[in-house]
Amino acid sequence: MAGREDQIINERKRKLAELREKGINPYAHKFDKKNSSKELQEKYKGVKNDEETKNKVSTAGRIMIKRVLGKIAFATVQDNEGKIQILLRKGDTPESSFELFKKYIDAGDFVGVEGLIIRTQRGELSILVKKLELLTKSIKPLPEKFHGLQDDEERLRKRYLDIIMNPETKEIFRRKAIFWQTIRKFLIERDFLEVQTPILETSAGGASATPFETHHNALDLDVFLRISMGELWQKKLMVAGYDKTFEIGRQFRNEGMDAEHLQDYMQMEFYWGYVDYKMGMDLVKEMYKEIAMNVFHTLKFEKAGHKFDLSKEWKIIDYSNEIKKQTKIDIWKDSKKEIEKKLDELNEEFDPKVDKWRLIDILWKTCRRKISGPAFLTGQPVEISPLAKRSREDNRIVEQFQIILAGSEMGNGYSELNDPEDQDERFKEQRKLKKAGDTEAQDHDESFIEALRYGMPPTCGFGVSERLFSFLENKPIRETVIFPLMKPEETKKKEGKPKSKKKHSKK
């Protein structure tokens, strides 16, 4: 295969040299493209077979298929919105354009054409070429149409080829753009202010996760890439007097990879003053329905053996009750040893060094897999939610909600803790866990405690990542990242495929 590709590359280089000798620039500066393929297909769908119109059009794109049959030649031109056929015919197409196409144009080249709309005898809407320009000469051949990119790693590494050869891949990223546009529009229409908070932080706060560390040379500071979408910063904005804020951006967690988790990914978080978690639940339910309809045009989904309908009732599931129902474990009474025994029975991996509450959360995740949803999980223990407000009814739990769809968590929110002394005590507990070896325990952010002491109004916060999109798209999350992080090709050849290590993290 390599030998065949080398022959093609050498032949195309020869054509490049000849084009330059003839004074033809194989890498044009511009082309006046007046029409897209989609526009032409829609506007002229009424043209009948074997009909030639006087409608002059101009388009441009990449040659995907080329056929020369004596005095007639065909090609498929692909642009951003689809494909259209071009037809070159001796007697109708100028000789210079016909010869340029025949001798020098290959599949993969970009061309610009001007001509008349016709429909061939076989019913294909086409452009009868009156003028053809070479815009970019490709040197390497495209993958074969019927074989394409067979290796998944290669497909992700050379995503541009995946998009060229697979229209469905291109459509995934169109839908993903609509996903984020829908969230942004939904919040702006409800008077949320979009903000941008720091990506580099001196304290990795706002979530329970392992951060990436680096050094800031100019300030001579060790810093972290953020693990939340500015949670503590946005709450400082609540202190400052903003009622509604949100941010959409990238965040980073130095943890394992699996079908639902990556180390760097897009996240949205909003903060809404003067409301509690119950009002947040109502808003999020409305937002999810709008996302589903705008992006996927349905409220009904199937995933991993589950079926759920976002238009149906969203059940409220209690954390401790559901664990007891499924495993017989009473999280309030049973010991760490009993929980470890149950996890062993369930063949769940865990680190024996972490505290009881981390193990309980792993136990919960085994229970979650059996819940189809849509549902809200509530009643989480204070120990696993150090930033959430305590429940008014039971001070052992917090006012938190998580969205459960097809056995997975698809969003997390809560009534934010605004008592500075309670927050300070919880940070101290997190510090103890970190010293004991829990890398996901949260930092003690003194500047945030200071801000809370000036007073923050009652607030509901909520976060959801691009995992929701990949989940509804029914694809592993890496498949829905346009350019996922990959090991360099030479490293991959030496080491083989990277090993994944599953790790649990929250918002």
Side-chain angles (χ1 to χ4, degrees):
M1 182 63 190
R4 170 67 176 151
E5 184 171 305
D6 289 343
Q7 289 175 10
I8 293 171
I9 290 169
N10 290 335
E11 175 64 12
R12 293 190 180 193
K13 285 180 176 178
R14 181 192 65 76
K15 290 179 182 180
L16 269 174
E18 285 189 13
L19 286 165
R20 288 187 168 117
E21 285 175 11
K22 291 175 177 290
I24 298 171
N25 180 7
Y27 299 103
H29 289 82
K30 65 173 186 174
F31 181 80
D32 187 14
K33 179 180 177 179
K34 294 185 172 71
N35 312 102
S36 72
S37 61
K38 183 179 179 182
E39 173 196 344
L40 294 175
Q41 296 284 8
E42 291 176 353
K43 186 174 180 179
Y44 296 105
K45 61 185 177 184
V47 174
K48 297 175 183 176
N49 285 9
D50 206 18
E51 182 179 352
E52 183 175 325
T53 72
K54 299 298 180 186
N55 302 93
K56 292 182 180 179
V57 298
S58 164
T59 195
R62 186 190 293 274
I63 297 288
M64 297 301 293
I65 299 170
K66 172 188 173 182
R67 290 173 292 156
V68 178
L69 307 169
K71 296 182 179 181
I72 194 167
F74 299 90
T76 302
V77 175
Q78 179 172 293
D79 66 7
N80 184 51
E81 296 186 347
K83 297 177 182 178
I84 192 162
Q85 181 170 277
I86 62 172
L87 167 64
L88 298 90
R89 191 163 60 198
K90 286 202 170 184
D92 292 305
T93 301
E95 187 67 20
S96 58
S97 290
F98 194 95
E99 288 304 306
L100 174 66
F101 180 83
K102 182 179 175 181
K103 290 184 178 179
Y104 297 106
I105 303 298
D106 295 295
D109 293 353
F110 281 88
V111 298
V113 297
E114 296 175 10
L116 305 177
I117 285 290
I118 68 169
R119 192 176 293 278
T120 65
Q121 289 181 340
R122 294 189 176 185
E124 185 76 21
L125 190 75
S126 307
I127 299 172
L128 178 59
V129 175
K130 296 296 182 180
K131 182 181 179 183
L132 180 139
E133 292 182 35
L134 173 61
L135 304 180
T136 299
K137 183 71 191 159
S138 66
I139 297 174
K140 296 195 75 171
L142 294 174
E144 293 179 32
K145 181 180 177 183
F146 295 105
H147 298 287
L149 296 168
Q150 298 295 311
D151 181 83
D152 284 342
E153 289 283 317
E154 186 79 351
R155 195 166 50 78
L156 296 178
R157 192 182 305 282
K158 298 180 180 177
R159 179 68 93 177
Y160 50 91
L161 293 180
D162 185 25
I163 292 170
I164 291 168
M165 303 306 294
N166 299 309
E168 177 51 29
T169 300
K170 179 180 269 191
E171 288 308 306
I172 286 172
F173 297 110
R174 287 189 192 278
R175 288 192 290 273
K176 191 172 183 182
I178 297 168
F179 173 84
W180 289 117
Q181 289 162 11
T182 299
I183 291 176
R184 178 174 277 110
K185 183 171 180 284
F186 179 91
L187 293 170
I188 289 172
E189 285 176 349
R190 287 155 182 80
D191 298 322
F192 282 80
L193 176 71
E194 185 168 10
V195 297
Q196 291 79 40
T197 62
I199 292 174
L200 292 176
E201 301 180 309
T202 55
S203 175
S208 297
T210 306
F212 284 92
E213 301 178 50
T214 187
H215 187 77
H216 192 299
N217 290 337
L219 295 177
D220 192 22
L221 278 176
D222 290 330
V223 292
F224 305 96
L225 293 178
R226 65 181 176 188
I227 57 174
S228 75
M229 199 41 49
E231 172 158 351
L232 303 187
W233 298 104
Q234 289 202 62
K235 286 194 271 197
K236 288 177 182 178
L237 293 176
M238 296 292 110
V239 172
Y242 292 100
D243 287 355
K244 298 177 177 180
T245 65
F246 78 97
E247 181 171 5
I248 297 173
R250 297 198 78 77
Q251 66 185 41
F252 311 86
R253 296 182 179 184
N254 198 1
E255 300 176 352
M257 289 170 59
D258 59 30
E260 292 188 1
H261 297 87
L262 289 178
Q263 286 75 22
D264 67 296
Y265 55 95
M266 291 292 288
Q267 168 102 349
M268 182 284 297
E269 290 187 26
F270 73 67
Y271 292 83
W272 182 9
Y274 306 102
V275 305
D276 67 2
Y277 76 117
K278 290 182 179 177
M279 292 184 71
M281 288 160 71
D282 291 338
L283 184 69
V284 167
K285 186 197 299 186
E286 187 182 348
M287 183 171 71
Y288 277 38
K289 289 179 182 178
E290 193 157 317
I291 289 168
M293 286 306 299
N294 282 2
V295 181
F296 301 101
H297 312 296
T298 183
L299 295 174
K300 296 179 180 179
F301 296 87
E302 292 188 30
K303 173 83 176 180
H306 294 274
K307 292 182 181 180
F308 61 92
D309 184 343
L310 297 176
S311 69
K312 301 295 185 186
E313 177 193 1
W314 290 47
K315 293 180 180 178
I316 307 293
I317 293 173
D318 181 78
Y319 187 94
S320 60
N321 289 345
E322 188 66 25
I323 290 175
K324 192 169 186 179
K325 176 182 164 185
Q326 290 196 36
T327 69
K328 310 301 183 191
I329 289 288
D330 185 328
I331 69 170
W332 308 114
K333 295 179 180 178
D334 290 336
S335 67
K336 180 182 177 184
K337 190 169 285 187
E338 288 170 306
I339 295 161
E340 288 178 345
K341 182 181 176 184
K342 178 57 68 173
L343 288 170
D344 281 332
E345 286 176 18
L346 295 168
N347 293 317
E348 290 292 332
E349 292 183 12
F350 62 89
D351 182 350
K353 291 189 301 226
V354 301
D355 75 334
K356 166 184 171 177
W357 298 103
R358 281 266 188 260
L359 297 180
I360 286 170
D361 208 40
I362 296 172
L363 189 61
W364 153 249
K365 289 176 173 69
T366 69
C367 299
R368 187 182 66 195
R369 295 182 200 132
K370 298 177 182 177
I371 301 169
S372 294
F376 288 115
L377 173 71
T378 62
Q380 293 88 333
V382 170
E383 287 81 0
I384 62 171
S385 295
L387 294 167
K389 204 176 187 74
R390 290 178 191 267
S391 167
R392 285 156 276 193
E393 288 81 29
D394 183 348
N395 67 7
R396 298 177 303 173
I397 64 174
V398 292
E399 293 190 348
Q400 181 174 2
F401 66 97
Q402 293 175 334
I403 291 86
I404 309 300
L405 301 174
S408 290
E409 178 207 323
M410 287 295 138
N412 186 24
Y414 36 77
S415 298
E416 301 291 343
L417 179 57
N418 59 348
D419 178 339
E421 305 315 316
D422 189 356
Q423 183 65 84
D424 196 34
E425 286 302 314
R426 294 203 217 171
F427 276 161
K428 286 175 182 175
E429 288 301 314
Q430 290 289 302
R431 183 190 291 169
K432 289 178 187 175
L433 293 174
K434 182 159 285 210
K435 283 183 178 177
D438 187 346
T439 59
E440 292 186 10
Q442 296 198 28
D443 283 349
H444 192 146
D445 192 319
E446 297 284 1
S447 70
F448 177 59
I449 299 296
E450 182 184 12
L452 284 185
R453 288 189 172 123
Y454 285 99
M456 184 180 87
T459 298
C460 175
F462 175 78
V464 64
S465 77
E466 62 180 288
R467 183 172 60 182
L468 174 63
F469 172 77
S470 65
F471 187 84
L472 297 178
E473 187 72 37
N474 206 10
K475 298 273 187 186
I477 190 167
R478 203 159 70 136
E479 290 278 345
T480 65
V481 173
I482 199 161
F483 290 115
L485 181 65
M486 307 288 291
K487 278 194 174 185
E489 201 157 8
E490 57 275 16
T491 306
K492 175 180 172 283
K493 286 175 182 174
K494 287 178 186 175
E495 300 179 4
K497 291 186 179 179
K499 292 180 182 177
S500 292
K501 193 161 123 187
K502 193 170 180 182
K503 207 163 188 182
H504 305 278
S505 62
K506 292 173 280 302
K507 178 177 167 184

